[in-house]
Amino acid sequence: MKTLLKRSALLLALPISVLANFSLRASADSTAGIILSTKCQGGYNINIWQNYTSGELLYRATNPNGHLSLGKGTKQATEGVRVYKFRNRNYEYWVWDGTLDNPQSGTLEVYKNNRILMKKACRKS
């Protein structure tokens, strides 16, 4: 009976651990360095990290509704201002690093199906 119970537990634990491994978001750790940290209206804190080896851009956000962690971002220069873009299904998160008028400010924009849902003013921290 104990052997059957152990085997059942093992068979149940294996698929759960595999699913958990694939569902984990990209994580920033000692292999990545922070390249942008902002505090935005409404309690949104955004950190952009870059992996030292691969160069992959990572997005970490905390806000009153929870946390969001994304990988595989892109960086573009638009009119002298950098914008970091990340995708999560139908959502896109754009973080503007400064403005032409003030390099210490920025903007967080959230799009769903190419339509803007939210725009928050940010300040570098």
Side-chain angles (χ1 to χ4, degrees):
M1 183 69 173
K2 279 187 175 181
T3 306
L4 180 61
L5 186 58
K6 286 181 183 178
R7 285 184 183 168
S8 298
L10 180 62
L11 289 174
L12 182 61
L14 185 60
I16 290 172
S17 64
V18 169
L19 285 173
N21 186 42
F22 286 115
S23 66
L24 292 175
R25 304 269 187 221
S27 61
D29 56 24
S30 62
T31 63
I34 194 161
I35 57 174
L36 178 64
S37 180
T38 63
K39 293 186 181 301
C40 305
Q41 293 172 328
Y44 290 82
N45 297 310
I46 312 294
N47 292 315
I48 307 293
W49 298 75
Q50 186 167 24
N51 183 290
Y52 294 126
T53 307
S54 69
E56 179 183 9
L57 295 173
L58 310 169
Y59 174 97
R60 304 291 175 271
T62 60
N63 65 66
N65 300 320
H67 306 286
L68 180 61
S69 179
L70 303 170
K72 299 183 181 176
T74 62
K75 175 175 63 173
Q76 295 176 300
T78 305
E79 296 180 13
V81 178
R82 281 185 303 271
V83 60
Y84 299 93
K85 298 179 182 182
F86 298 86
R87 179 178 286 281
N88 184 18
R89 296 186 183 111
N90 295 334
Y91 293 90
E92 282 190 48
Y93 300 84
W94 293 18
V95 181
W96 293 85
D97 184 2
T99 65
L100 292 175
D101 297 332
N102 186 350
Q104 289 302 312
S105 65
T107 308
L108 167 64
E109 296 176 346
V110 180
Y111 295 86
K112 182 178 182 183
N113 296 324
N114 297 319
R115 300 186 92 169
I116 193 158
L117 291 178
M118 181 178 74
K119 186 174 185 175
K120 301 282 184 181
C122 304
R123 190 151 236 16
K124 288 184 184 180
S125 53

